[in-house]
Amino acid sequence: MPDIGTTLDPLSGDVILALVASLGLSTIAGLRSAAVLFAVGLAFDIRIGGQPLLPLHGNFQVLGSPLVLTVLGILMVAEFLVDKFPGLDHVNDIIATVVRPIVGATILAGTTNALSNQSVWAAAIVGAILAFSTHAVKAGTRAVSTATTGGVANPILSIGEDILTVGSAVLLI
């Protein structure tokens, strides 16, 4: 597969789609970081015509290894479950304030796209900002939900976030 962003026309459909997919995946990492990172690793392992469905740069290809996918799968299930319990969801959001921007940075820097091909650091910064922004909105919404419903609506919001994350990841990949 050509190195998207460096050998193709920067306005070609493939280059634009690769960048949009990478930006979108970094953005939704602000909701469920482990699930999105798992999807990225899995998409790297899926081959079409011998090429990965979602190409990753050299060192980032480890995301597709069985060991990393197993760990990410366990973290994904834990993140899905913990987020359903009022109180625990806030503890998870505190930890995720650091984790989700790192995952967003990893996704945008690690996927093959026009931005990461030009500057891995710029891609990482943009990815971190996107994931943090989504996370901030999610955590703020959850705090308002807790204050107004005593946490009763939090599991419902969490299920909506799960559906949005999985659906978006599938569409973007």
Side-chain angles (χ1 to χ4, degrees):
M1 175 172 227
D3 191 16
I4 294 183
T6 57
T7 59
L8 296 175
D9 174 10
L11 298 177
S12 76
D14 288 344
V15 171
I16 292 170
L17 285 175
L19 181 59
V20 168
S22 298
L23 290 166
L25 290 166
S26 289
T27 301
I28 62 170
L31 293 175
R32 298 283 185 275
S33 55
V36 179
L37 208 51
F38 179 84
V40 167
L42 195 59
F44 174 72
D45 281 350
I46 297 171
R47 305 290 168 156
I48 296 176
Q51 299 299 321
L53 183 59
L54 185 67
L56 299 174
H57 292 295
N59 291 337
F60 295 96
Q61 292 178 1
V62 70
L63 292 172
S65 74
L67 176 62
V68 172
L69 285 173
T70 300
V71 170
L72 288 172
I74 292 166
L75 291 172
M76 176 180 63
V77 170
E79 188 176 29
F80 279 127
L81 292 175
V82 166
D83 203 56
K84 303 300 180 276
F85 296 96
L88 285 179
D89 60 343
H90 294 297
V91 172
N92 184 53
D93 280 344
I94 291 168
I95 295 166
T97 300
V98 174
V99 173
R100 290 179 179 152
I102 292 170
V103 170
T106 300
I107 291 169
L108 195 55
T111 54
T112 301
N113 62 73
L115 181 58
S116 68
N117 289 347
Q118 295 302 312
S119 172
V120 171
W121 289 107
I125 290 167
V126 171
I129 290 169
L130 290 170
F132 179 77
S133 298
T134 303
H135 167 71
V137 170
K138 176 217 181 289
T141 301
R142 197 60 70 86
V144 169
S145 171
T146 299
T148 58
T149 70
V152 173
N154 290 9
I156 297 165
L157 289 173
S158 180
I159 291 169
E161 294 160 1
D162 295 344
I163 293 167
L164 180 61
T165 300
V166 172
S168 296
V170 168
L171 287 175
L172 289 164
I173 291 171

